[in-house]
Amino acid sequence: MSRKTDVQIIIGSKSDEAKIKAAMDVLNEFGINFDFKIASAHRSPAYVEEIIDTAIRQEVKVFITGAGMANHLSGTVAARTTLPVIGVPFSGGISDGMDSLLSTVQMPPGVPVATVAVDGAKNAAILAIEILSVENKELQKKLIEFRHKETEKIKNAV
Ligand code: RP5
């Protein structure tokens, strides 16, 4: 039997692919099963809905969504599910990411998008794993080891 997909990643364009790679690297490092799709809230809205509905049916636990410029993708996903949505604003656009950051984070009360830094794909994955770890002691242990490694990297940086 194939392992369940825990995280659904969606980005707005093929041109965003390099900016989400760090999230996939971290999820792979932790052995988290994820599905990756490219779909645009503006240019392929029906496909976005299809991805969300399929992911919910397959009992995905967390969404990671990223888009540049007007990142309505994250808000669209958050509007359609009560599962946690982690939004990654991407650099580029008229103010090199500020446009995407504001459109990701400025959600109306009641429909949150947990927004990480501009191009913060690595933190999006870590936050997704932290959410998954709430009921998973093994993941909690791995996160502590991961944090220790990050600490060592900083201490040994010079
Ligand atoms: C956004 O517009 C995408 O997420 C991307 O960051 C930006 C430009 O998209 P392309 O024109 O490169 O497809 O919707």
Side-chain angles (χ1 to χ4, degrees):
M1 205 180 81
S2 62
R3 272 181 50 220
K4 281 191 56 179
T5 301
D6 282 326
V7 178
Q8 177 67 59
I9 300 177
I10 316 173
I11 56 169
S13 169
K14 180 86 181 156
S15 67
D16 298 325
E17 218 169 345
K19 294 177 185 152
I20 201 69
K21 189 180 171 297
M24 301 199 214
D25 290 345
V26 172
L27 292 173
N28 281 328
E29 188 176 337
F30 277 80
I32 304 292
N33 249 19
F34 63 89
D35 182 64
F36 171 61
K37 295 276 189 300
I38 298 173
S40 164
H42 308 113
R43 294 181 278 193
S44 63
Y47 182 44
V48 170
E49 286 185 11
E50 188 188 314
I51 295 166
I52 300 165
D53 292 347
T54 304
I56 292 169
R57 256 200 320 279
Q58 292 174 346
E59 297 181 5
V60 155
K61 296 196 176 70
V62 187
F63 286 85
I64 295 176
T65 54
M69 301 170 80
N71 179 9
H72 296 143
L73 179 63
S74 298
T76 297
V77 175
R80 211 172 165 89
T81 180
T82 55
L83 291 168
V85 177
I86 302 169
V88 189
F90 288 147
S91 53
I94 196 168
S95 52
D96 205 16
M98 188 59 87
D99 40 8
S100 177
L101 172 63
L102 292 178
S103 59
T104 310
V105 77
Q106 288 288 69
M107 288 295 290
V111 188
V113 169
T115 306
V116 295
V118 173
D119 294 336
K122 179 175 176 176
N123 270 0
I126 296 169
L127 182 53
I129 296 163
E130 288 178 352
I131 291 168
L132 296 173
S133 80
V134 169
E135 304 253 14
N136 185 326
K137 289 239 172 326
E138 192 61 33
L139 272 186
Q140 287 170 20
K141 257 176 56 191
K142 281 190 184 175
L143 278 164
I144 290 165
E145 282 162 23
F146 183 83
R147 186 69 66 88
H148 283 157
K149 274 198 252 163
E150 299 283 296
T151 303
E152 286 309 305
K153 268 196 245 166
I154 288 292
K155 279 166 60 181
N156 298 321
V158 180

